[in-house]
Amino acid sequence: MAEEVSSQMNSLSISETNPSSSATISLVSGDDIVFKVEPTIAKEMETVQSFIDETDGKITTIPLPNISSHDLPYVIEYCEKSIAGKITKEFEAEFVKKLNNEEVKELFLAANYLNIKKLLDFLSQVIADRIANKSVEYVRRYFGIENDFTPEEEAKLREELAWTFTGVDPDDEDEN
Amino acid sequence: MSMLLRKLLEIMLRRNPTCSDEENQVLERGDLGELDQLPSDILVQILRLLGPKEVAKLSVICRSLRFFVSDNRLWLHFLQTHQSDPSWDSVFFAETNLTSGYPIPSFVGQRPQLSFKHIYGQRAQVPGAIIIDGGSGYCKFGWSKYACPSGRSATFLEFGNIESPMYTRLRHFFATIYNRMQVKPNNQPVIVSIPICHYEDTESARASRRQLKEAIYASLFDLNVPSVCAVNQATLALYAAKRTSGIVVNIGFQVTSVVPIFNGKVMRKIGVEVLGFGALKVTGFLKEKMQLNNLNFQSLYTVRALKENLCYVALDYEAELLKKNTQASFQAAGDGLFTLSKERFQTAEVLFKPHLAGMQEMGLHHAIALCMEHCHCADLPGESDWYKTVVLSGGTACLPGLAERLEKELHSLLPPFVSNGIRVTPPPYGVDTPWFGAKMIGNLSTFPGPWCVEKSKFRQKPRLSLIW
């Protein structure tokens, strides 16, 4: 117990005094592009931060093989706004406007991998909004799920769930 | 991640540990398309955001997703957030105890496992019911999907005694209510409360009850109501308190009844105690007090408003009399400001000491104690403490302090083996308590099925084997 506490104190004092902690962190995307970010940004990404903590701040270049150089800037942008406390409904609306369905899903997986709670919550809502009121076929295409019901089974299910099939939007084919 | 886990933990508390293993297995089977890459807690988060209707629809996507979205905890969450009207506890109580109608099955040992998804779907589709709770003083009516009754009318003043089996009067009463609600009677089932009267366990009282029920059914069916559910008013109050067994004390307009109910059935064999005073007498007593003290008022409505707003029940009457400062004031609409002092607690004391108002009746606490002794002696199978739950009902029963005082009096009147564990509950939904009991029935996932008598059935079998 005492050991744990002292090691915590230790790490605290390191992060305060160690000059390397104020140095930038390099995030390397899956396609080998390097993004330099402030350590505060890295703090938002739980996965990255725990990597830094584990090596006592000595390693500042972190490979993120699951995230492409296309998605990483979005993640960084969101984290920057989050630290600055500037996440507003307007910003989120603008942010999501730039993303197509494919990008939302990729970002979502990236947020999951990096474990960024706020971004995950936000994107969960975006995904929920994008599949709400959509047809079953649309949702299947959206997630790439194959229908494994027989036509009879599906018809029966639809009948049982008739109360849910009100107000379904027509599918727009030009998504993605 | 820890945050997400914590969030999930909230709902996991009630979960069965084996359940999560199954879930993960299904996800690992890998037929959820891109969703396979997500941990199930994150998928659950998206589902929660989507809401019940969208999630139910996802059952049609594929087998694995259907299994995943049928998760009981998820639907428990939806029931709690979307259908917990008037409260989640009451929905849970109703779905556990009342789904199969009357008589209420008595569970021995394990209760059947509820499928919350199924319950949610059924509840979303039930047509709801028109609820008419004809209290002896006031009638409360409204649609079961509304948060509270949409209207009231003074039953006795307007319609006379609706407890007598007079077809024309009942028909006029129901027709007027439908008119005020501006709904057609033929659209929805109706739940009506049967007044607490003809309570004896005798042939003639049974005949009177039957006549009254017959008149209620006949007048409603003649108005083209598709199906009728008639439940005793005391039983409805008990359901509102989330109980199927207990003693209901209903302070009515003119009489007060102490009704033992076991598994939803009024135990007339044990005996319903009836006292010949009620809300009217209490108000009348305050009126006399005010007249004695030269407090002038214009109408009895003022007195009633004062009773409702200023009066309370003293826990210790003698001690309260010695208190110096018991004054409080109330602005009665159109009748000025009134200040009462000792009248505030002397008024309701008449419930305990009827002789104060010159009545030769036993006090309310004596009547309840008597009923409890009878219940104890009846020694019904199953739960032995069922009669220790006392639920109050009726406008006057809402007076602050009544439940506490009754509890205290019962403890001093009864031997410990009867009085231990007694709990007196104030009317759970105030003056509308029976209406809310009916609302719980009207929104059940199985309603109207087991609860209602249909018009065609009533016509086929006029000899009432269907009516209980």
Side-chain angles (χ1 to χ4, degrees):
Chain A
M1 191 62 188
E3 248 178 49
E4 248 182 63
V5 172
S6 74
S7 82
Q8 267 179 18
M9 303 253 295
N10 210 10
S11 75
L12 267 179
S13 60
I14 286 174
S15 65
E16 274 164 17
T17 57
N18 192 338
S20 78
S21 71
S22 63
T24 54
I25 308 276
S26 302
L27 302 176
V28 186
S29 70
D31 42 352
D32 290 329
I33 311 265
V34 180
F35 292 83
K36 294 215 181 268
V37 296
E38 294 298 318
T40 46
I41 301 277
K43 268 214 163 57
E44 293 284 294
M45 307 170 180
E46 235 177 84
T47 313
V48 172
Q49 187 57 36
S50 62
F51 191 85
I52 297 171
D53 289 345
E54 268 168 38
T55 59
D56 284 339
K58 284 179 194 120
I59 294 184
T60 54
T61 301
I62 293 137
L64 301 171
N66 293 342
I67 304 173
S68 76
S69 60
H70 178 79
D71 300 328
L72 200 48
Y74 287 115
V75 177
I76 294 169
E77 182 190 353
Y78 193 89
C79 289
E80 280 170 346
K81 286 277 177 189
S82 170
I83 295 164
K86 283 186 182 154
I87 297 203
T88 58
K89 287 264 169 281
E90 292 73 35
F91 165 74
E92 290 192 330
E94 277 303 308
F95 188 83
V96 74
K97 221 186 262 174
K98 291 183 282 190
L99 305 172
N100 66 29
N101 282 341
E102 229 20 73
E103 286 167 330
V104 168
K105 283 185 286 184
E106 278 171 19
L107 269 189
F108 189 75
L109 294 175
N112 177 41
Y113 173 68
L114 292 170
N115 213 346
I116 310 167
K117 157 99 174 100
K118 279 182 202 150
L119 186 56
L120 259 180
D121 283 353
F122 166 55
L123 291 170
S124 299
Q125 185 64 57
V126 173
I127 292 186
D129 291 346
R130 291 204 177 178
I131 59 172
N133 295 322
K134 294 288 194 263
S135 70
V136 168
E137 294 72 18
Y138 181 95
V139 178
R140 276 189 199 131
R141 275 200 305 277
Y142 189 93
F143 290 118
I145 299 175
E146 252 177 68
N147 179 12
D148 54 1
F149 289 116
T150 64
E152 293 77 26
E153 284 172 328
E154 181 170 337
K156 192 165 164 279
L157 271 175
R158 278 177 187 265
E159 198 180 313
E160 283 169 19
L161 294 164
W163 63 280
T164 66
F165 287 97
T166 51
V168 176
D169 295 343
D171 298 357
D172 8 316
E173 292 300 333
D174 57 5
E175 289 276 353
N176 289 337
Chain B
M1 183 53 91
S2 61
M3 286 291 277
L4 275 173
L5 280 175
R6 210 171 305 146
K7 210 180 209 176
L8 198 74
L9 265 176
E10 288 166 17
I11 43 166
M12 274 209 287
L13 287 174
R14 265 160 261 160
R15 94 194 292 198
N16 175 350
T18 56
C19 179
S20 78
D21 296 342
E22 281 172 51
E23 211 168 73
N24 290 338
Q25 273 168 20
V26 168
L27 280 179
E28 278 158 38
R29 265 174 39 206
D31 32 21
L32 280 177
E34 292 169 15
L35 293 176
D36 279 327
Q37 298 169 55
L38 292 178
S40 50
D41 56 347
I42 293 184
L43 188 49
V44 168
Q45 182 177 340
I46 298 181
L47 295 179
R48 282 176 160 220
L49 289 168
L50 268 174
K53 199 174 135 186
E54 292 297 320
V55 169
K57 210 162 68 180
L58 293 180
S59 309
V60 190
I61 301 285
C62 70
R63 284 177 204 277
S64 319
L65 201 57
R66 180 174 168 218
F67 183 83
F68 192 83
V69 302
S70 302
D71 182 63
N72 232 12
R73 284 159 299 133
L74 181 68
W75 286 95
L76 178 70
H77 168 78
F78 285 143
L79 275 167
Q80 288 173 332
T81 49
H82 288 72
Q83 283 188 352
S84 57
D85 174 35
S87 75
W88 160 245
D89 291 352
S90 63
V91 171
F92 187 76
F93 161 81
E95 293 295 343
T96 331
N97 292 285
L98 306 179
T99 39
S100 44
Y102 186 89
I104 289 169
S106 52
F107 294 103
V108 187
Q110 195 126 38
R111 283 163 192 271
Q113 175 80 34
L114 299 178
S115 161
F116 292 128
K117 184 185 179 202
H118 177 76
I119 289 174
Y120 191 102
Q122 295 301 115
R123 286 180 76 90
Q125 295 171 82
V126 292
I130 298 296
I131 301 170
I132 303 176
D133 170 31
S136 44
Y138 287 84
C139 165
K140 299 95 186 171
F141 50 86
W143 192 36
S144 64
K145 300 221 172 179
Y146 288 157
C148 60
S150 53
R152 276 164 239 277
S153 54
T155 326
F156 191 81
L157 289 178
E158 205 176 330
F159 305 99
N161 182 10
I162 55 160
E163 294 173 8
S164 65
M166 288 173 62
Y167 172 85
T168 45
R169 185 179 290 170
L170 284 167
R171 180 161 172 161
H172 169 62
F173 168 64
F174 290 128
T176 310
I177 300 293
Y178 272 109
N179 229 338
R180 290 201 187 146
M181 285 189 70
Q182 297 185 314
V183 290
K184 282 191 183 144
N186 59 352
N187 279 345
Q188 282 132 331
V190 67
I191 305 177
V192 283
S193 66
I194 304 172
I196 310 163
C197 53
H198 315 298
Y199 34 82
E200 301 95 340
D201 190 37
T202 61
E203 230 4 90
S204 73
R206 209 164 306 156
S208 303
R209 289 202 297 271
R210 193 171 299 161
Q211 267 186 328
L212 177 58
K213 281 183 202 166
E214 211 163 20
I216 290 174
Y217 279 81
S219 51
L220 282 166
F221 284 129
D222 286 351
L223 288 170
N224 276 325
V225 173
S227 50
V228 176
C229 162
V231 184
N232 187 286
Q233 202 175 32
T235 313
L236 290 176
L238 191 64
Y239 293 159
K242 303 189 284 282
R243 296 284 176 158
T244 53
S245 300
I247 295 177
V248 173
V249 176
N250 180 63
I251 305 184
F253 191 55
Q254 284 170 313
V255 297
T256 296
S257 336
V258 180
V259 189
I261 298 170
F262 188 71
N263 274 337
K265 184 176 168 46
V266 174
M267 301 309 284
R268 294 192 175 82
K269 283 198 170 63
I270 291 176
V272 176
E273 302 295 330
V274 176
L275 300 167
F277 55 88
L280 191 62
K281 202 80 199 176
V282 178
T283 312
F285 190 55
L286 176 59
K287 186 186 87 178
E288 281 172 35
K289 287 257 164 212
M290 286 173 69
Q291 283 164 339
L292 275 175
N293 297 338
N294 284 323
L295 289 163
N296 295 316
F297 50 85
Q298 281 172 8
S299 79
L300 206 57
Y301 285 109
T302 302
V303 183
R304 197 190 65 202
L306 292 174
K307 178 185 86 175
E308 286 167 2
N309 290 285
L310 292 180
C311 289
Y312 64 94
V313 179
L315 189 60
D316 183 337
Y317 184 62
E318 303 302 326
E320 204 74 14
L321 278 174
L322 296 173
K323 275 194 191 164
K324 288 269 179 305
N325 189 13
T326 52
Q327 267 191 4
S329 303
F330 178 74
Q331 182 76 40
D335 212 354
L337 185 77
F338 287 84
T339 303
L340 299 185
S341 178
K342 302 237 182 292
E343 303 88 346
R344 291 181 63 207
F345 61 90
Q346 283 172 328
T347 301
E349 194 63 22
V350 76
L351 295 171
F352 297 89
K353 304 185 180 74
H355 62 87
L356 290 177
M359 291 181 290
Q360 301 209 314
E361 292 270 356
M362 63 177 148
L364 181 56
H365 53 310
H366 284 286
I368 302 173
L370 194 63
C371 179
M372 284 189 165
E373 272 168 1
H374 293 160
C375 292
H376 179 77
C377 294
D379 199 21
L380 296 179
E383 258 186 289
S384 61
D385 282 352
W386 63 274
Y387 57 83
K388 293 185 180 179
T389 299
V390 178
V391 176
L392 304 180
S393 171
T396 301
C398 298
L399 287 176
L402 180 59
E404 293 83 351
R405 171 71 177 276
L406 278 174
E407 236 170 65
K408 182 189 141 189
E409 297 289 350
L410 289 172
H411 276 285
S412 67
L413 281 175
L414 291 163
F417 59 90
V418 181
S419 68
N420 272 347
I422 284 181
R423 241 191 96 222
V424 182
T425 316
Y429 296 95
V431 292
D432 300 328
T433 295
W435 190 90
F436 275 88
K439 176 182 162 80
M440 282 157 67
I441 295 176
N443 290 334
L444 273 173
S445 57
T446 53
F447 191 82
W451 281 97
C452 283
V453 174
E454 280 164 31
K455 189 174 178 174
S456 52
K457 293 223 175 99
F458 178 76
R459 293 277 185 257
Q460 282 164 12
K461 284 191 179 178
R463 279 278 46 95
L464 292 204
S465 54
L466 293 158
I467 303 173
W468 17 274

